Amino acid sequence: MRRFTWVIALVMCLSLVLAGCGKKDAGSVVKDLDGVMNKLQSYQGSGKMVLHTGQEPQEYQVEVWYQNPHYYRISLTNAKKDITQIVLRNDDGVFVLTPHLNKSFRFQSDWPENQGQVYLYQSLVQSILMDNDRQFTVDPNAYVFDVLANYQNGSLARQKIWLDKKSYAPQKVEVSDQESNVMVMVDFTQFEFGKKFEKDSFDMQRNMTSWNIQSLPTMGTNGDTPSGGKTPAGDSQASGTHDPGTMDAKSSAAGGRNAANGTTAAQGGASASTGAASGTAANASKQKAGQPEFGVIEPTYLPSGVKRQDVNEIKLGENKAIMLRYAGKYNYTLVESHPETQTVSNLPSDIVDLGYTLAVITGDEKKTLMWTYEGVEFRLSTGDLPLTEMIKVAQAVQGESGK
């Protein structure tokens, strides 16, 4: 009897050990993630991003393509307004495209390696690997990590990341502020490792001219490395120029309220090129004569000790603009315009992630933050406003309409 009891006990112990072998702790998952990163060749993911940084939540559709070693395509679409911004990285540099305005910015940078992005798999995994104080829990279908948020926006403190138990693909991300309020949420509806892309999937010209084609092909049959956006003749891509004839008449109205949101730049010298589709001479004259009117868009956020001084109409080249002046503890101006003419800038600049779009910041002693939202170009200039406060002001125009 004793021997029988001992055998039963031994069998139960072995069963518990074998059952325990099927469970992974934080250390084993982190080791697996490090292996996934070392073997990562490509992926395609899509989902929904919700921002709670404005007066009302803003929803965007996100699509991310990555091809080893450094090809990226990120598409951000405002679901309600059908406005799309595309961020590319290829052999020619980094581009931010606003196809509705036929506008592109090009710069040389190692982005996004120098900045984390909540919708990029590499950024999420790196935040897990680098946080030695990571918190780990297990859901029925996911491993969940609670780690430090490593983003340019200093108000984002922590993030929770849900990873599929079998593939380690991202399922969901929640980024919170210091008061544990969820400020950014990304819900991935699809994610595929080892995606095969066509050679021109990361080509700037292709993405500028085919942004409004619903059936934009993404998968090739040979899985070759993308060409990186090089064109056989001329340097039209390198200079940021493109064919305005590909836009329809409705979307070519420069500065319209249905323009794509977003401007950008990056560390090092930036070369920017902007412009509206030209159309016929008659249409051009009509656009100039009937330059779109817009009300003053006033940010809902004011830094402590700052008041608005006045609002004035000014001229930016041939375009009418509105300038709001603020004074007090900090002093700055906010200029709003509907740009119609092509402008080129070679000023050194950096990229700033506003959440709902990307912006350009230039200058040393006096800084200017530039971005586009719903066809309005904003320029926030200051000699003393800290970057964290500039970001808050810029985020506070999101969802606001002219008055």
Side-chain angles (χ1 to χ4, degrees), residues 200-272:
D200 62 348
S201 294
F202 300 88
D203 180 270
M204 188 276 280
Q205 190 67 33
R206 175 190 177 180
N207 282 276
M208 279 297 295
T209 58
S210 59
W211 61 271
N212 59 347
I213 299 177
Q214 297 298 322
S215 58
L216 177 66
T218 62
M219 184 171 67
T221 57
N222 52 17
D224 292 339
T225 300
S227 63
K230 294 185 180 298
T231 51
D235 293 326
S236 62
Q237 290 186 35
S239 63
T241 60
H242 30 260
D243 179 13
T246 58
M247 298 181 63
D248 58 66
K250 182 177 179 181
S251 63
S252 67
R257 295 291 293 181
N258 289 328
N261 55 349
T263 59
T264 193
Q267 295 178 345
S271 172

Side-chain angles (χ1 to χ4, degrees), residues 84 193 231 250 292 338 373:
T84 298
F193 290 109
T231 51
K250 182 177 179 181
H338 281 291
Y373 180 64

Side-chain angles (χ1 to χ4, degrees), residues 80-359:
K80 289 184 178 180
K81 298 168 183 174
D82 195 26
I83 294 173
T84 298
Q85 177 188 31
I86 298 173
V87 186
L88 290 177
R89 180 178 175 183
N90 57 33
D91 289 335
D92 292 327
V94 180
F95 299 83
V96 173
L97 314 177
T98 54
H100 291 75
L101 280 179
N102 204 25
K103 176 189 293 186
S104 69
F105 283 84
R106 174 184 178 270
F107 51 93
Q108 296 298 326
S109 172
D110 59 355
W111 182 93
E113 278 76 9
N114 61 348
Q115 292 185 28
Q117 301 291 333
V118 67
Y119 34 74
L120 291 182
Y121 185 71
Q122 293 92 324
S123 297
L124 299 177
V125 174
Q126 285 298 329
S127 66
I128 294 173
L129 298 179
M130 294 176 63
D131 190 352
N132 293 326
D133 295 324
R134 65 183 78 89
Q135 300 176 20
F136 176 77
T137 57
V138 180
D139 276 1
N141 299 312
Y143 298 118
V144 185
F145 285 92
D146 188 330
V147 295
L148 291 173
N150 185 25
Y151 300 115
Q152 192 173 43
N153 188 343
S155 63
L156 302 178
R158 298 195 66 83
Q159 60 183 348
K160 290 184 69 174
I161 304 167
W162 283 257
L163 301 175
D164 182 85
K165 281 186 175 181
K166 295 181 180 179
S167 65
Y168 293 119
Q171 295 181 346
K172 185 170 65 172
V173 185
E174 291 182 353
V175 189
S176 305
D177 61 13
Q178 295 180 351
E179 284 74 39
S180 299
N181 300 309
V182 176
M183 306 301 293
V184 183
M185 186 276 291
V186 179
D187 188 2
F188 288 93
T189 56
Q190 180 269 335
F191 198 93
E192 178 183 351
F193 290 109
K195 185 71 175 181
K196 303 295 183 181
F197 297 102
E198 294 182 353
K199 285 188 176 182
D200 62 348
S201 294
F202 300 88
D203 180 270
M204 188 276 280
Q205 190 67 33
R206 175 190 177 180
N207 282 276
M208 279 297 295
T209 58
S210 59
W211 61 271
N212 59 347
I213 299 177
Q214 297 298 322
S215 58
L216 177 66
T218 62
M219 184 171 67
T221 57
N222 52 17
D224 292 339
T225 300
S227 63
K230 294 185 180 298
T231 51
D235 293 326
S236 62
Q237 290 186 35
S239 63
T241 60
H242 30 260
D243 179 13
T246 58
M247 298 181 63
D248 58 66
K250 182 177 179 181
S251 63
S252 67
R257 295 291 293 181
N258 289 328
N261 55 349
T263 59
T264 193
Q267 295 178 345
S271 172
S273 166
T274 65
S278 55
T280 64
N283 288 336
S285 299
K286 183 178 179 181
Q287 284 183 4
K288 187 173 182 180
Q291 186 176 10
E293 297 291 336
F294 63 94
V296 177
I297 300 175
E298 190 164 357
T300 56
Y301 173 78
L302 268 180
S304 178
V306 173
K307 292 183 178 180
R308 194 193 74 182
Q309 293 294 101
D310 52 39
V311 179
N312 296 295
E313 183 176 314
I314 63 173
K315 280 281 189 178
L316 283 179
E318 297 181 358
N319 300 320
K320 183 181 73 173
I322 301 295
M323 183 174 70
L324 296 82
R325 292 197 307 169
Y326 296 84
K329 182 179 179 181
Y330 303 111
N331 302 277
Y332 58 92
T333 61
L334 180 63
V335 176
E336 305 170 3
S337 65
H338 281 291
E340 290 187 2
T341 59
Q342 179 174 329
T343 60
V344 178
S345 172
N346 292 311
L347 294 174
S349 51
D350 290 327
I351 188 172
V352 176
D353 190 351
L354 301 180
Y356 67 95
T357 188
L358 299 175

Side-chain angles (χ1 to χ4, degrees), residues 49-64:
M49 179 171 68
V50 180
L51 304 177
H52 297 276
T53 54
Q55 292 292 305
E56 297 181 357
Q58 297 290 314
E59 182 176 318
Y60 295 84
Q61 297 300 317
V62 180
E63 186 171 22
V64 181

